[in-house]
Amino acid sequence: MGDDPGRLYRLDGVAHIAGVINDERFVYTMLVASSSLHISIRRQQGMRLDERCVPYLQMAGLYHLARLNDRWFRLDEPLVSAFVERWRPETHTFHMPFGECTITLQDVAYQLGLPVDGHYVSGRLTDFHLYIEGGRQAWQWFHELLGVLPPKNQVQKFTVNCTWFQETFGECPDGADEETVRRFARAYIMMLLGTQLFADKSGNRIHIRWLLYVARLEEMGGYSWGSATLVWLYRCMCRVANRHVVKLAGPLQLLQSWIFWRFPSFRPTGYDEISWPLSSRWSGYNPWISNKGPRVQMARLKIDLLQPRDFILDWHLHWQERAEHILQFDIVPEPGPSHDFLT
């Protein structure tokens, strides 16, 4: 490292945010995107989950995630910001005073109720249309699957404004035939994936790459949506660890719920009822929106004082102690081995 203490905060030649946390200009480095996250969640909530679409969501392995839309919590920006400052892209772990820890596949399964086994979710964003079967044009396929095309002013390259999805597929009409229900289910799933799990920094557009999956609703449950979600969160946190990146996107609800479960000292009070998925416990949580600067600093100090006993490591023991309190669930996964890293 030589004599330059600043190199401690450099990762592959990129300045880490931890090196400038005392600079007031960088207090809100990752907080800028939070408003987009809330807007995306509200837009998804604006699309009512029709009971006729539930079987398709169950087949896709996304039903538990859909149930969270009606009772979600707001992001605690200062708390999440303080934790992201501890993220190290070299190891995909949070460096804490007592050692390293990270979000695992097991956490994803318990917190969001997503499947973690099955085929991997893949595909490039820029040229995904080259892999569409039958040589279809991307927008032709969009029309075939959803029954309607968005106007040009609602389209940017291969993305569509969330507002158009919400207004067009907000409520499935009474007496709709099965094909119409499938179209509304496809639109709902595309919004669910694009706003809840794989949101970008804009927070207001849906990429039509999800056509590749919603075209076969019966096969969607065979994909490991949980591992794809975890990979996307890792990637987003690695990007924002660079002090020159000013927005954090991704499944931040997973990150916040993980913090609350693994670090009891950071949990909000008054949320003792446990339901399934576990992240639904924080239903209605609404953190303070003022004094964000001082709250970031307080969160940093609390993290500095953490001891091994302040972190819940053993999910098996914790699950056995809490399982009898689970009030709402359809299928609760059996506790399994923890997957600490993705390659």
Side-chain angles (χ1 to χ4, degrees):
M1 294 181 59
D3 298 327
D4 182 8
R7 289 184 59 82
L8 177 64
Y9 302 107
R10 299 189 68 83
L11 309 173
D12 298 327
V14 176
H16 194 282
I17 185 177
V20 291
I21 58 177
N22 292 323
D23 190 329
E24 290 298 325
R25 294 175 298 170
F26 295 96
V27 170
Y28 301 111
T29 297
M30 59 72 54
L31 304 182
V32 182
S34 64
S35 59
S36 297
L37 173 70
H38 298 320
I39 293 172
S40 296
I41 291 175
R42 287 199 299 270
R43 283 178 175 146
Q44 178 70 56
Q45 290 173 336
M47 295 178 67
R48 186 175 67 86
L49 177 56
D50 193 288
E51 292 183 0
R52 292 166 291 180
C53 295
V54 168
Y56 296 109
L57 285 161
Q58 291 173 328
M59 284 191 296
L62 301 173
Y63 176 57
H64 293 306
L65 181 67
R67 290 174 55 221
L68 293 174
N69 289 331
D70 294 330
R71 48 178 184 172
W72 204 239
F73 51 79
R74 294 180 63 89
L75 189 69
D76 191 330
E77 300 173 4
L79 175 63
V80 172
S81 180
F83 268 82
V84 170
E85 291 169 357
R86 291 278 182 164
W87 182 254
R88 305 299 294 193
E90 313 99 321
T91 56
H92 288 169
T93 57
F94 296 98
H95 281 220
M96 296 296 181
F98 56 81
E100 300 179 29
C101 59
T102 195
I103 306 170
T104 69
L105 282 176
Q106 193 177 66
D107 291 312
V108 180
Y110 284 170
Q111 297 297 337
L112 300 182
L114 294 174
V116 295
D117 296 317
H119 305 296
Y120 57 84
V121 178
S122 66
R124 298 182 62 180
L125 302 186
T126 55
D127 56 2
F128 81 100
H129 57 290
L130 299 178
Y131 303 98
I132 297 177
E133 294 181 3
R136 296 183 184 91
Q137 292 293 325
W139 292 106
Q140 176 188 346
W141 205 25
F142 186 100
H143 187 269
E144 291 177 9
L145 294 175
L146 297 180
V148 63
L149 279 175
K152 292 184 179 180
N153 64 354
Q154 297 294 318
V155 175
Q156 183 175 343
K157 293 184 179 181
F158 289 105
T159 65
V160 182
N161 286 342
C162 291
T163 303
W164 180 84
F165 268 93
Q166 182 181 357
E167 294 175 350
T168 307
F169 298 99
E171 187 169 352
C172 188
D174 295 335
D177 58 24
E178 191 59 29
E179 181 56 31
T180 300
V181 173
R182 289 174 67 90
R183 288 173 177 172
F184 273 76
R186 291 187 183 112
Y188 189 95
I189 290 173
M190 290 180 69
M191 278 284 286
L192 194 67
L193 297 175
T195 62
Q196 305 296 308
L197 297 184
F198 307 107
D200 61 16
K201 293 179 182 179
S202 73
N204 61 7
R205 294 192 295 269
I206 304 298
H207 200 288
I208 66 173
R209 66 182 180 272
W210 305 117
L211 293 177
L212 299 171
Y213 298 96
V214 299
R216 304 176 184 86
L217 290 171
E218 291 79 6
E219 299 178 11
M220 286 192 68
Y223 288 90
S224 177
W225 295 107
S227 61
T229 299
L230 185 59
V231 167
W232 186 247
L233 179 59
Y234 278 11
R235 184 177 183 181
C236 291
M237 289 196 293
C238 287
R239 286 177 173 176
V240 84
N242 180 346
R243 80 181 200 188
H244 301 296
V245 177
V246 296
K247 289 185 179 181
L248 175 61
L252 304 185
Q253 65 271 44
L254 168 62
L255 173 58
Q256 178 163 299
S257 187
W258 176 82
I259 294 171
F260 288 161
W261 276 94
R262 293 290 191 174
F263 298 88
S265 61
F266 287 100
R267 292 178 187 172
T269 58
Y271 295 87
D272 300 324
E273 180 179 295
I274 304 178
S275 57
W276 181 258
L278 298 186
S279 57
S280 63
R281 176 177 182 177
W282 321 113
S283 169
Y285 174 59
N286 191 15
W288 293 345
I289 60 174
S290 59
N291 299 321
K292 292 180 180 178
R295 291 188 61 223
V296 172
Q297 296 171 358
M298 288 298 298
R300 290 170 181 163
L301 290 174
K302 288 186 65 174
I303 292 175
D304 288 340
L305 299 174
L306 288 174
Q307 300 294 321
R309 63 177 180 271
D310 299 319
F311 178 76
I312 294 179
L313 176 63
D314 193 337
W315 261 115
H316 295 263
L317 177 61
H318 187 61
W319 182 269
Q320 292 170 4
E321 292 176 346
R322 301 284 185 175
E324 65 271 16
H325 298 298
I326 297 294
L327 302 180
Q328 302 175 32
F329 62 87
D330 292 321
I331 300 176
V332 178
E334 292 294 330
S338 178
H339 302 268
D340 291 330
F341 298 97
L342 296 178
T343 56

